[in-house]
Short mmCIF file of all heavy atoms in Angstrom, two decimals:
data_model
loop_
_atom_site.label_atom_id
_atom_site.label_comp_id
_atom_site.label_asym_id
_atom_site.label_seq_id
_atom_site.Cartn_x
_atom_site.Cartn_y
_atom_site.Cartn_z
N ASN I 102 -3.27 12.96 10.07
CA ASN I 102 -2.71 11.68 10.46
C ASN I 102 -1.22 11.65 10.12
O ASN I 102 -0.84 11.78 8.96
CB ASN I 102 -3.43 10.57 9.71
CG ASN I 102 -3.05 9.20 10.23
OD1 ASN I 102 -2.02 9.03 10.89
ND2 ASN I 102 -3.88 8.22 9.94
N PRO I 103 -0.33 11.48 11.11
CA PRO I 103 1.11 11.49 10.83
C PRO I 103 1.55 10.34 9.94
O PRO I 103 2.55 10.45 9.24
CB PRO I 103 1.74 11.39 12.22
CG PRO I 103 0.69 10.77 13.08
CD PRO I 103 -0.61 11.27 12.54
N PHE I 104 0.80 9.23 9.94
CA PHE I 104 1.19 8.08 9.14
C PHE I 104 1.20 8.42 7.66
O PHE I 104 2.07 7.97 6.90
CB PHE I 104 0.27 6.90 9.41
CG PHE I 104 0.61 5.68 8.60
CD1 PHE I 104 1.74 4.94 8.89
CD2 PHE I 104 -0.18 5.30 7.53
CE1 PHE I 104 2.07 3.82 8.14
CE2 PHE I 104 0.15 4.20 6.77
CZ PHE I 104 1.27 3.46 7.08
N THR I 105 0.22 9.20 7.22
CA THR I 105 0.17 9.62 5.82
C THR I 105 1.42 10.39 5.44
O THR I 105 1.97 10.22 4.34
CB THR I 105 -1.08 10.48 5.56
OG1 THR I 105 -2.25 9.74 5.91
CG2 THR I 105 -1.16 10.90 4.10
N PHE I 106 1.89 11.23 6.34
CA PHE I 106 3.10 12.00 6.10
C PHE I 106 4.31 11.07 5.99
O PHE I 106 5.19 11.27 5.14
CB PHE I 106 3.31 12.99 7.25
CG PHE I 106 4.52 13.87 7.10
CD1 PHE I 106 4.52 14.95 6.24
CD2 PHE I 106 5.67 13.58 7.81
CE1 PHE I 106 5.64 15.75 6.09
CE2 PHE I 106 6.80 14.38 7.68
CZ PHE I 106 6.78 15.46 6.81
N LEU I 107 4.37 10.04 6.83
CA LEU I 107 5.48 9.09 6.79
C LEU I 107 5.50 8.31 5.47
O LEU I 107 6.57 8.07 4.89
CB LEU I 107 5.40 8.11 7.96
CG LEU I 107 5.42 8.70 9.37
CD1 LEU I 107 5.50 7.58 10.40
CD2 LEU I 107 6.56 9.67 9.55
N VAL I 108 4.33 7.91 5.01
CA VAL I 108 4.23 7.18 3.74
C VAL I 108 4.74 8.05 2.59
O VAL I 108 5.51 7.59 1.74
CB VAL I 108 2.77 6.74 3.48
CG1 VAL I 108 2.60 6.26 2.04
CG2 VAL I 108 2.38 5.63 4.44
N ASP I 109 4.31 9.30 2.56
CA ASP I 109 4.77 10.22 1.51
C ASP I 109 6.28 10.41 1.58
O ASP I 109 6.96 10.45 0.54
CB ASP I 109 4.08 11.58 1.66
CG ASP I 109 2.60 11.53 1.35
OD1 ASP I 109 2.19 10.57 0.67
OD2 ASP I 109 1.86 12.43 1.78
N ASN I 110 6.81 10.52 2.78
CA ASN I 110 8.24 10.71 2.97
C ASN I 110 9.02 9.50 2.47
O ASN I 110 10.02 9.64 1.74
CB ASN I 110 8.52 10.96 4.44
CG ASN I 110 9.99 11.23 4.72
OD1 ASN I 110 10.72 10.33 5.14
ND2 ASN I 110 10.44 12.46 4.50
N LEU I 111 8.57 8.30 2.83
CA LEU I 111 9.25 7.08 2.40
C LEU I 111 9.20 6.93 0.88
O LEU I 111 10.21 6.60 0.25
CB LEU I 111 8.61 5.87 3.07
CG LEU I 111 9.11 4.49 2.61
CD1 LEU I 111 10.60 4.35 2.86
CD2 LEU I 111 8.34 3.38 3.30
N CYS I 112 8.04 7.18 0.30
CA CYS I 112 7.90 7.05 -1.16
C CYS I 112 8.81 8.02 -1.90
O CYS I 112 9.35 7.69 -2.97
CB CYS I 112 6.44 7.28 -1.56
SG CYS I 112 5.33 5.93 -1.12
N GLN I 113 8.98 9.20 -1.36
CA GLN I 113 9.87 10.18 -1.99
C GLN I 113 11.31 9.67 -1.99
O GLN I 113 12.01 9.78 -3.00
CB GLN I 113 9.79 11.51 -1.25
CG GLN I 113 10.63 12.61 -1.89
CD GLN I 113 10.47 13.95 -1.19
OE1 GLN I 113 9.68 14.08 -0.27
NE2 GLN I 113 11.23 14.93 -1.63
N PHE I 114 11.75 9.10 -0.88
CA PHE I 114 13.10 8.54 -0.80
C PHE I 114 13.27 7.40 -1.81
O PHE I 114 14.30 7.31 -2.49
CB PHE I 114 13.39 8.03 0.61
CG PHE I 114 13.98 9.06 1.52
CD1 PHE I 114 13.22 9.64 2.51
CD2 PHE I 114 15.30 9.46 1.38
CE1 PHE I 114 13.76 10.59 3.36
CE2 PHE I 114 15.86 10.41 2.23
CZ PHE I 114 15.08 10.98 3.22
N ILE I 115 12.28 6.52 -1.89
CA ILE I 115 12.38 5.38 -2.80
C ILE I 115 12.38 5.85 -4.25
O ILE I 115 13.19 5.39 -5.07
CB ILE I 115 11.22 4.39 -2.55
CG1 ILE I 115 11.35 3.75 -1.16
CG2 ILE I 115 11.19 3.31 -3.63
CD1 ILE I 115 10.20 2.84 -0.79
N GLN I 116 11.48 6.76 -4.58
CA GLN I 116 11.38 7.25 -5.94
C GLN I 116 12.67 7.90 -6.43
O GLN I 116 13.02 7.80 -7.62
CB GLN I 116 10.23 8.25 -6.06
CG GLN I 116 8.90 7.60 -6.43
CD GLN I 116 7.97 8.61 -7.06
OE1 GLN I 116 7.69 9.64 -6.46
NE2 GLN I 116 7.49 8.31 -8.24
N ASN I 117 13.37 8.56 -5.53
CA ASN I 117 14.62 9.23 -5.92
C ASN I 117 15.66 8.25 -6.44
O ASN I 117 16.58 8.64 -7.16
CB ASN I 117 15.19 10.01 -4.73
CG ASN I 117 14.35 11.23 -4.38
OD1 ASN I 117 13.57 11.72 -5.20
ND2 ASN I 117 14.49 11.73 -3.17
N ASP I 118 15.54 6.98 -6.05
CA ASP I 118 16.53 5.97 -6.44
C ASP I 118 16.05 5.05 -7.56
O ASP I 118 16.78 4.15 -7.97
CB ASP I 118 16.92 5.12 -5.23
CG ASP I 118 17.74 5.89 -4.21
OD1 ASP I 118 18.39 6.88 -4.61
OD2 ASP I 118 17.74 5.52 -3.03
N LEU I 119 14.84 5.23 -8.04
CA LEU I 119 14.29 4.32 -9.04
C LEU I 119 14.86 4.58 -10.43
O LEU I 119 15.16 5.72 -10.79
CB LEU I 119 12.77 4.44 -9.09
CG LEU I 119 11.99 4.00 -7.84
CD1 LEU I 119 10.50 4.11 -8.09
CD2 LEU I 119 12.36 2.58 -7.44
N THR I 120 15.00 3.51 -11.20
CA THR I 120 15.46 3.60 -12.59
C THR I 120 14.46 2.85 -13.47
O THR I 120 13.46 2.31 -12.98
CB THR I 120 16.85 2.97 -12.76
OG1 THR I 120 16.74 1.53 -12.61
CG2 THR I 120 17.83 3.51 -11.72
N ILE I 121 14.74 2.78 -14.76
CA ILE I 121 13.86 2.05 -15.68
C ILE I 121 13.89 0.55 -15.42
O ILE I 121 13.06 -0.20 -15.96
CB ILE I 121 14.22 2.35 -17.15
CG1 ILE I 121 15.67 1.91 -17.41
CG2 ILE I 121 14.03 3.81 -17.48
CD1 ILE I 121 16.07 2.01 -18.88
N PHE I 122 14.83 0.09 -14.60
CA PHE I 122 14.95 -1.33 -14.30
C PHE I 122 14.20 -1.71 -13.03
O PHE I 122 14.33 -2.84 -12.56
CB PHE I 122 16.43 -1.70 -14.15
CG PHE I 122 17.25 -1.48 -15.39
CD1 PHE I 122 18.08 -0.37 -15.50
CD2 PHE I 122 17.17 -2.35 -16.46
CE1 PHE I 122 18.82 -0.15 -16.64
CE2 PHE I 122 17.91 -2.15 -17.61
CZ PHE I 122 18.74 -1.04 -17.70
N ASN I 123 13.44 -0.78 -12.47
CA ASN I 123 12.71 -1.02 -11.21
C ASN I 123 11.21 -0.98 -11.41
O ASN I 123 10.71 -0.26 -12.28
CB ASN I 123 13.08 0.02 -10.16
CG ASN I 123 14.56 0.06 -9.84
OD1 ASN I 123 15.16 1.12 -9.79
ND2 ASN I 123 15.16 -1.10 -9.63
N LEU I 124 10.51 -1.74 -10.59
CA LEU I 124 9.06 -1.63 -10.44
C LEU I 124 8.78 -1.37 -8.97
O LEU I 124 9.33 -2.04 -8.10
CB LEU I 124 8.36 -2.92 -10.89
CG LEU I 124 8.36 -3.22 -12.39
CD1 LEU I 124 7.76 -4.60 -12.66
CD2 LEU I 124 7.57 -2.15 -13.16
N PHE I 125 7.93 -0.39 -8.70
CA PHE I 125 7.64 0.05 -7.34
C PHE I 125 6.17 -0.14 -7.04
O PHE I 125 5.31 0.37 -7.76
CB PHE I 125 8.05 1.52 -7.20
CG PHE I 125 7.72 2.14 -5.87
CD1 PHE I 125 7.87 1.44 -4.69
CD2 PHE I 125 7.28 3.46 -5.81
CE1 PHE I 125 7.58 2.03 -3.46
CE2 PHE I 125 7.00 4.07 -4.59
CZ PHE I 125 7.15 3.34 -3.42
N GLY I 126 5.86 -0.91 -6.00
CA GLY I 126 4.47 -1.18 -5.68
C GLY I 126 4.16 -1.12 -4.21
O GLY I 126 5.06 -1.19 -3.35
N ARG I 127 2.88 -0.96 -3.90
CA ARG I 127 2.42 -0.95 -2.50
C ARG I 127 1.72 -2.28 -2.23
O ARG I 127 0.72 -2.62 -2.88
CB ARG I 127 1.47 0.21 -2.25
CG ARG I 127 1.10 0.39 -0.78
CD ARG I 127 0.29 1.65 -0.55
NE ARG I 127 0.18 1.96 0.88
CZ ARG I 127 -0.43 3.05 1.35
NH1 ARG I 127 -0.96 3.93 0.52
NH2 ARG I 127 -0.47 3.28 2.65
N ILE I 128 2.24 -3.03 -1.25
CA ILE I 128 1.71 -4.35 -0.95
C ILE I 128 0.53 -4.28 0.02
O ILE I 128 -0.47 -4.97 -0.15
CB ILE I 128 2.82 -5.25 -0.38
CG1 ILE I 128 4.01 -5.30 -1.34
CG2 ILE I 128 2.29 -6.65 -0.11
CD1 ILE I 128 3.64 -5.75 -2.74
N ASP I 129 0.67 -3.47 1.06
CA ASP I 129 -0.43 -3.22 1.97
C ASP I 129 -0.24 -1.83 2.57
O ASP I 129 0.58 -1.06 2.09
CB ASP I 129 -0.55 -4.32 3.05
CG ASP I 129 0.71 -4.47 3.89
OD1 ASP I 129 1.37 -3.46 4.18
OD2 ASP I 129 1.05 -5.61 4.26
N GLU I 130 -0.96 -1.52 3.63
CA GLU I 130 -0.94 -0.16 4.17
C GLU I 130 0.47 0.31 4.52
O GLU I 130 0.87 1.43 4.18
CB GLU I 130 -1.82 -0.08 5.42
CG GLU I 130 -1.90 1.32 6.00
CD GLU I 130 -2.66 1.37 7.31
OE1 GLU I 130 -2.78 0.31 7.98
OE2 GLU I 130 -3.13 2.46 7.68
#
Side-chain angles (χ1 to χ4, degrees):
N102 189 341
F104 179 72
T105 302
F106 181 77
L107 301 187
V108 168
D109 291 340
N110 182 261
L111 174 60
C112 287
Q113 183 177 356
F114 271 105
I115 294 176
Q116 270 203 304
N117 289 340
D118 290 336
L119 294 183
T120 70
I121 60 173
F122 299 102
N123 301 133
L124 289 174
F125 176 39
R127 188 173 192 177
I128 304 304
D129 58 37
E130 182 186 22

